[in-house]
Amino acid sequence: MLVNLSPLTETMRDALRRLVEQIAEHDGISPVNESALLGIEGLRDADFFFMGLRSDPYGFVVVDERDKTLLVGVHPGHRGDGVATELLAEALANYPGYSVWAFGTLPGATELATRAGLTPVRALLRMERPLGAIAVPAAPEGYRITTYRPEFREQVVAVNAAAFAHHPEQGRLTVAEFDQLTAQPWFDPAGLFVAVHGDEVVGFHWTKRHGGGLGEVYVIAVAPGHEGRGLGAVLLAAGLSYLHGHGDDRVQLYVEGDQERVVRMYRNAGFEVAQVDTSFRMKETPQ
């Protein structure tokens, strides 16, 4: 039976960080996403379950309460022993209706999901391109591009909510969560570009630098009613130029696989699919 270890002690937090790093080093991809990492740091609501010692676990489940998702990780040395199967079965029994992420859609994760009776319901694409010098076009008439200032925060969150109203996670970003993100060590207000029309924020491009020459189109959004004017292209170019100017030579972004128009736009901007993450959910039982 799973035992809820929340809240984590600092010893357990360190042990979980180490296990995540060991899995990522072996698989070439992290078993957790940013939301789960914020949960590990105590900045998001999450439950935690370990297999093994609390100070030296070999398996875990992170229950992301905000996103209603389960993230399972098992140390490479304990795979093939049924650990992941047991963890996932217990987690699904305790959190019915939650979805399960398989980052990178590795074969073992897909097999595990199939055995658990899960079916794929969503694909998230990580797209990449090399980064060189970028020419930034002029903003459309009546618009200006500036960088983030604290007085923009509520308008930026409102634009995000409107632009991502269809999105299961991004559209629910709150002002408090925005403040948490802007308090992270990686945040640079000079890398958050804001489109303004009059006194109104109508779009933004939030970049993120990961180190090692990798930048990210973290979030890019244009408010409904201001689309189709080339504003997104200007914001994209401004962010890419900033990343290149700060030493990044490649850039990534994440986009929903079913957003064909957006995927096509990024392909036209030189991005190619580098990874597919899959969300699985329990199959519906026929009535």
Side-chain angles (χ1 to χ4, degrees):
M1 177 179 290
L2 292 179
V3 178
N4 192 340
L5 300 178
S6 309
L8 297 177
T9 65
E10 195 57 41
T11 296
M12 291 188 291
R13 206 183 306 277
D14 287 341
L16 184 51
R17 290 191 193 105
R18 287 195 303 272
L19 181 53
V20 166
E21 290 173 359
Q22 290 166 344
I23 294 171
E25 183 177 358
H26 179 271
D27 293 343
I29 184 170
S30 177
V32 297
N33 56 11
E34 181 181 60
S35 184
L37 286 172
L38 289 170
I40 292 170
E41 299 305 321
L43 299 175
R44 291 273 174 92
D45 290 335
D47 289 333
F48 303 91
F49 305 91
F50 293 173
M51 288 189 73
L53 300 175
R54 297 185 181 197
S55 60
D56 188 23
Y58 55 80
F60 70 83
V61 178
V62 176
V63 182
D64 187 329
E65 297 181 10
R66 178 189 186 273
D67 295 343
K68 299 293 186 289
T69 58
L70 305 174
L71 300 96
V72 179
V74 176
H75 189 281
H78 290 267
R79 294 178 183 176
D81 298 332
V83 173
T85 299
E86 183 177 349
L87 282 170
L88 182 56
E90 284 276 357
L92 288 169
N94 283 273
Y95 297 88
Y98 276 43
S99 58
V100 182
W101 273 114
F103 300 117
T105 319
L106 303 176
T110 302
E111 293 167 6
L112 173 65
T114 301
R115 288 197 304 272
L118 303 175
T119 188
V121 294
R122 181 178 165 203
L124 186 66
L125 310 182
R126 179 169 66 82
M127 304 183 74
E128 287 189 355
R129 58 159 283 181
L131 195 56
I134 302 290
V136 181
E141 185 175 355
Y143 296 86
R144 60 187 174 89
I145 307 297
T146 186
T147 51
Y148 176 75
R149 300 194 299 271
E151 58 264 32
F152 290 152
R153 61 198 277 269
E154 293 188 1
Q155 289 193 72
V156 167
V157 172
V159 168
N160 180 84
F164 291 100
H166 63 284
H167 196 280
E169 295 112 19
Q170 183 62 36
R172 293 189 287 115
L173 181 74
T174 66
V175 172
E177 290 171 342
F178 178 83
D179 289 343
Q180 288 176 347
L181 292 171
T182 57
Q184 296 301 303
W186 58 264
F187 176 68
D188 180 1
L192 174 45
F193 295 86
V194 178
V196 180
H197 184 260
D199 295 326
E200 180 186 6
V201 172
V202 297
F204 66 91
H205 178 185
W206 191 347
T207 65
K208 182 177 182 178
R209 300 191 63 232
H210 292 267
L214 177 64
E216 181 177 346
V217 178
Y218 186 57
V219 188
I220 187 166
V222 175
H226 296 271
E227 299 167 316
R229 307 181 191 191
L231 198 55
V234 176
L235 285 166
L236 177 61
L240 296 183
S241 178
Y242 162 84
L243 292 171
H244 177 257
H246 283 73
D248 291 327
D249 56 19
R250 64 194 192 284
V251 61
Q252 68 176 17
L253 58 83
Y254 289 86
V255 61
E256 296 293 327
D258 62 357
Q259 298 294 303
E260 296 180 3
R261 181 187 64 81
V262 181
V263 172
R264 184 166 57 250
M265 177 187 73
Y266 286 130
R267 285 192 184 278
N268 291 338
F271 288 85
E272 295 293 340
V273 176
Q275 173 185 306
V276 179
D277 300 334
T278 304
S279 177
F280 293 87
R281 190 180 294 274
M282 191 66 71
K283 297 176 182 177
E284 296 290 339
T285 303
Q287 299 295 321

